[in-house]
Amino acid sequence: MNVVLMGPPGAGKGTQAEIIRQHYSIPVIATGDMFREAVSQKTELGTKAKHYMDQGQLVPDEVTIGIVKERLAQPDCQDGFMLDGFPRTTPQAEALDQVLADTGRKIEAAINISVTEEVLIERIEGRVSCPDCKTIYHLNFNPASAEGICDECGASLTYRSDDRGDVAKKRLEVYLEQTLPLLEYYKEQGLLFNIDGNRPADEVFRDIKGILENL
Ligand code: AP5
């Protein structure tokens, strides 16, 4: 399966992507995670990406398309993949289609997790995650067993710097301006599936599973 997972900041894309990865053993390509890793490693890509991420803006298309293209060329992606947070602009979606067509592949579904703004804010404000193994928690909805400590690897949990105040607000604005119109791109191709994300993660996954098993 070659699938795109879409939705606003805090909708639960990363949470669902991890459940899907475990359930179907397919690679997840999460551009936000790739950029955060580059930032923490202080690579050239990280320095470039940080400038935009700190402001809640999208990293330029040519940079983002480049890293996804490289990742999709790797052997583990040839039998299926899940994209989390990419594409986010029409040029990214068009580039993705071209890259896949060049290797005889195509997107089979774009799954959009739809969540009200009130719920998004609640989810973003309470999110903590593990800087090492990347496990995502929520202080109320999905807390770690021991406060502040990752259940999986024992590292100290951290807040994401772009989840704070104005930056989080900007990310939502950028989503509405640049990414929401992209839903029409997939709708026109008959590939868009909308899921009500205002429900517990296991219920959201049940619907996603229903879609994936009919592809
Ligand atoms: P990215 O990391 O992709 O951030 P995002 O799209 O804003 O999405 P989030 O990671 O905030 O949320 P999510 O939907 O994954 O929610 P999560 O599962 O964590 O991108 C960060 C930045 O990188 C961008 O701003 C941009 O600068 C750059 N970037 C990335 N991709 C790019 C691209 N393609 N082009 C250009 N720039 C790009 O859940 C949130 C919280 O809610 C968690 O605490 C979780 O435990 C909880 N939760 C999840 N589901 C549920 C549920 N069903 N019920 C209750 N709680 C839930």
Side-chain angles (χ1 to χ4, degrees):
M1 64 181 78
N2 301 333
V3 181
V4 166
L5 203 50
M6 303 182 74
K13 301 181 297 296
T15 300
Q16 294 300 324
E18 178 55 20
I19 302 174
I20 292 163
R21 187 186 67 75
Q22 288 179 14
H23 196 85
Y24 294 102
S25 300
I26 57 166
V28 169
I29 304 170
T31 39
D33 286 346
M34 290 161 94
F35 287 136
R36 276 185 290 279
E37 183 62 22
V39 170
S40 78
Q41 300 290 325
K42 297 188 166 59
T43 63
E44 198 185 326
L45 170 68
T47 308
K48 207 179 277 179
K50 189 175 186 309
H51 172 76
Y52 298 95
M53 294 170 86
D54 284 350
Q55 299 175 53
Q57 298 284 359
L58 296 182
V59 177
D61 282 341
E62 63 273 19
V63 176
T64 312
I65 291 166
I67 62 163
V68 172
K69 194 174 170 183
E70 235 173 67
R71 183 68 186 90
L72 284 171
Q74 288 172 15
D76 64 326
C77 293
Q78 304 316 305
D79 294 329
F81 55 81
M82 162 84 39
L83 279 159
D84 162 8
F86 182 96
R88 266 166 141 111
T89 63
T90 304
Q92 289 183 14
E94 289 169 350
L96 173 64
D97 284 349
Q98 189 58 56
V99 166
L100 294 176
D102 289 347
T103 48
R105 295 178 286 175
K106 62 181 172 58
I107 292 298
E108 293 162 276
I111 299 174
N112 177 46
I113 305 176
S114 166
V115 177
T116 63
E117 194 170 326
E118 197 187 1
V119 172
L120 290 178
I121 292 166
E122 212 179 4
R123 287 188 184 170
I124 286 177
E125 285 179 352
R127 170 170 45 195
V128 284
S129 51
C130 176
D132 292 349
C133 74
K134 318 297 177 209
T135 303
I136 304 166
Y137 299 87
H138 190 281
L139 297 178
N140 304 319
F141 308 136
N142 179 28
S145 308
E147 199 184 325
I149 305 294
C150 180
D151 291 349
E152 303 298 325
C153 71
S156 295
L157 302 178
T158 54
Y159 286 95
R160 259 172 56 178
S161 59
D162 63 348
D163 277 350
R164 303 284 118 212
D166 284 356
V167 182
K169 203 169 146 228
K170 186 71 198 169
R171 283 163 56 212
L172 199 50
E173 284 171 21
V174 166
Y175 169 80
L176 294 173
E177 279 165 23
Q178 301 192 46
T179 308
L180 192 63
L182 198 52
L183 298 183
E184 200 53 38
Y185 179 88
Y186 287 111
K187 191 175 173 193
E188 279 169 10
Q189 297 178 55
L191 296 176
L192 183 67
F193 295 87
N194 280 305
I195 300 266
D196 175 7
N198 300 290
R199 296 172 300 155
D202 57 338
E203 288 184 30
V204 176
F205 176 63
R206 204 174 50 214
D207 284 6
I208 293 178
K209 194 167 168 241
I211 294 165
L212 297 179
E213 292 184 355
N214 276 312
L215 290 181

